[in-house]
Amino acid sequence: MDFKIGIIGGTGLEDPKIFNNVQEYKVSTPFGSPSDALVEGKVGNTTCILLSRHGREHNVSPTNINYRANLWALMQQGAKVILSTAASGSLKEEVTPGSFVFLDSFIDRTFKREITFHDGKNGHPKGVCHIPMYPAYNEKLRQILISSAEELKYKIFKTGTAICIEGPRYSSRAESEVYRGWNADIINMTVCPEVYLAKELGIPFATTAIVTDYDCWREGEKVSVDLVAQRMQESSDKAKTLFVTAIKKIGAIRWDDEIIMAKKTARAGVMIEEHVNPLISGNQCTTHFKVTSDISIKFMDRIRQKVCILYTNCIKLKDLMDYINKEEHS
């Protein structure tokens, strides 16, 4: 399958005009339908797949976005890496509206969203996933985006921590001040769970935050729908130019090692019994969450050894169960 770049377009950045040879198609996933149809086209020689996060009519609120279906749809259509944009409020004076922040971490304050593919339901990936989130974003993608923005002479911040709130309401003044006290850089409603769902799938992922406002902590400015829409309109052409520049660089180099490493991280994060086949098949897709944790292997080896000893010495079954319970909680 050809190398493809997935793009999740946020507010104001769903324009397929950056592509040539455009085609559009609807897809389904084991997790339901994504926010909108997928739009596929080329930037130079690189194939890209664009998905509007909120739908092109902007009719899906942050809470109701089917994040799992969005990420899965991009994966099953062949996206090997994913870029996303995020309209965001600034929590620091120096992070001015119009700036671009290349996120490297996040604080998740959402509470109503499906946060893992491994939910124990039929037809979904098996096992329990404890995905590590440092580093949160793919560094190679981040550096390409940063270098592209520097070439374009944009005002940028090379690192940034995002607070992700549930929404759809904006923050209170007290909340905004709390988040500033946590030393976060920007506030947004959609970076989570996208970042860790992409990591569960083993897909290199990077988010560019586009600053539109100062939230509500700064005297003289209050965030509003009209203000965000106006500022995104002002920044949208710059964002498109940034992505076109970065996409050409991404498509010109090999990603085999990054993808293999991302897949290994995803596999290693899932705890599942050794004999269970974790493969699942969806519509036109198969994902490979082959996983046996080193910890679980060592634990089972200790249990097997103890069983032999207990059996040899004719110790009661209750003693065996007590040992197993103790080991499980150690």
Side-chain angles (χ1 to χ4, degrees):
M1 186 177 290
D2 293 338
F3 178 82
K4 297 180 181 180
I5 300 174
I7 302 172
I8 300 176
T11 303
L13 286 168
E14 306 94 347
D15 187 1
K17 293 179 183 177
I18 62 173
F19 296 159
N20 296 315
N21 304 321
V22 175
Q23 55 182 325
E24 181 177 315
Y25 42 87
K26 293 184 177 181
V27 299
S28 60
T29 80
F31 301 91
S33 299
S35 298
D36 208 325
L38 302 183
V39 178
E40 186 170 309
K42 285 187 175 290
V43 174
N45 295 320
T46 303
T47 301
C48 300
I49 310 168
L50 175 65
L51 174 61
S52 174
R53 181 188 286 119
H54 296 278
R56 280 171 287 187
E57 301 298 322
H58 203 96
N59 56 355
V60 186
S61 77
T63 293
N64 294 333
I65 292 169
N66 192 338
Y67 295 94
R68 295 192 298 179
N70 285 355
L71 271 296
W72 195 279
L74 290 172
M75 179 193 70
Q76 81 179 21
Q77 296 307 127
K80 303 301 183 186
V81 302
I82 297 176
L83 305 176
S84 76
T85 62
S88 305
S90 169
L91 294 171
K92 293 182 176 178
E93 184 71 36
E94 64 272 22
V95 183
T96 56
S99 303
F100 290 75
V101 182
F102 300 101
L103 299 180
D104 67 336
S105 196
F106 65 89
I107 300 170
D108 188 0
R109 297 292 296 165
T110 65
F111 52 87
K112 289 185 176 180
R113 306 177 186 189
E114 298 288 353
I115 59 173
T116 180
F117 292 104
H118 299 260
D119 58 8
K121 295 181 180 178
N122 289 336
H124 293 181
K126 296 179 174 64
V128 176
C129 186
H130 300 284
I131 197 73
M133 288 312 301
Y134 177 78
Y137 296 92
N138 180 266
E139 189 61 23
K140 189 171 179 178
L141 285 176
R142 281 190 357 95
Q143 291 303 322
I144 289 174
L145 288 162
I146 290 168
S147 67
S148 298
E150 287 177 329
E151 290 173 13
L152 295 166
K153 302 188 184 307
Y154 291 176
K155 181 175 181 180
I156 67 169
F157 293 85
K158 296 182 180 181
T159 60
T161 296
I163 290 273
C164 188
I165 61 173
E166 184 61 49
R169 68 171 178 85
Y170 294 119
S171 301
S172 69
R173 171 66 69 88
E175 288 169 330
S176 194
E177 291 292 358
V178 166
Y179 302 148
R180 277 167 48 78
W182 291 351
N183 201 34
D185 298 284
I186 60 103
I187 184 167
N188 170 270
M189 298 180 190
T190 57
V191 297
C192 297
E194 278 180 356
V195 56
Y196 42 87
L197 290 177
K199 204 154 194 181
E200 281 194 5
L201 293 179
I203 300 176
F205 182 84
T207 296
T208 301
I210 303 168
V211 180
T212 59
D213 56 85
Y214 278 110
D215 201 33
C216 65
W217 60 268
R218 189 173 183 263
E219 293 297 335
E221 179 170 301
K222 296 178 182 178
V223 63
S224 67
V225 170
D226 288 343
L227 179 62
V228 171
Q230 175 191 331
R231 296 270 174 80
M232 280 304 297
Q233 184 64 37
E234 294 169 358
S235 297
S236 62
D237 287 342
K238 292 176 68 176
K240 292 171 191 174
T241 301
L242 170 63
F243 268 43
V244 168
T245 303
I247 286 166
K248 290 177 180 178
K249 293 181 180 181
I250 294 167
I253 59 179
R254 296 192 65 86
W255 286 86
D256 305 58
D257 291 345
E258 293 291 320
I259 293 168
I260 290 171
M261 183 62 67
K263 296 296 184 187
K264 285 183 177 179
T265 299
R267 290 196 297 270
V270 183
M271 297 186 70
I272 193 168
E273 293 181 28
E274 186 174 3
H275 68 278
V276 174
N277 182 359
L279 296 180
I280 72 162
S281 295
N283 183 23
Q284 301 180 2
C285 70
T286 301
T287 187
H288 50 282
F289 293 93
K290 167 67 181 85
V291 187
T292 306
S293 164
D294 290 341
I295 296 174
S296 63
I297 291 173
K298 293 176 182 177
F299 171 69
M300 292 306 297
D301 284 343
R302 293 202 307 271
I303 294 298
R304 292 187 189 101
Q305 293 168 7
K306 192 66 176 178
V307 167
C308 292
I309 295 171
L310 292 172
Y311 181 79
T312 301
N313 294 315
C314 299
I315 295 178
K316 294 180 180 179
L317 179 61
K318 181 178 182 299
D319 294 330
L320 172 60
M321 297 307 298
D322 288 342
Y323 176 80
I324 292 174
N325 289 332
K326 179 180 177 182
E327 285 292 296
E328 283 180 336
H329 293 90
S330 64

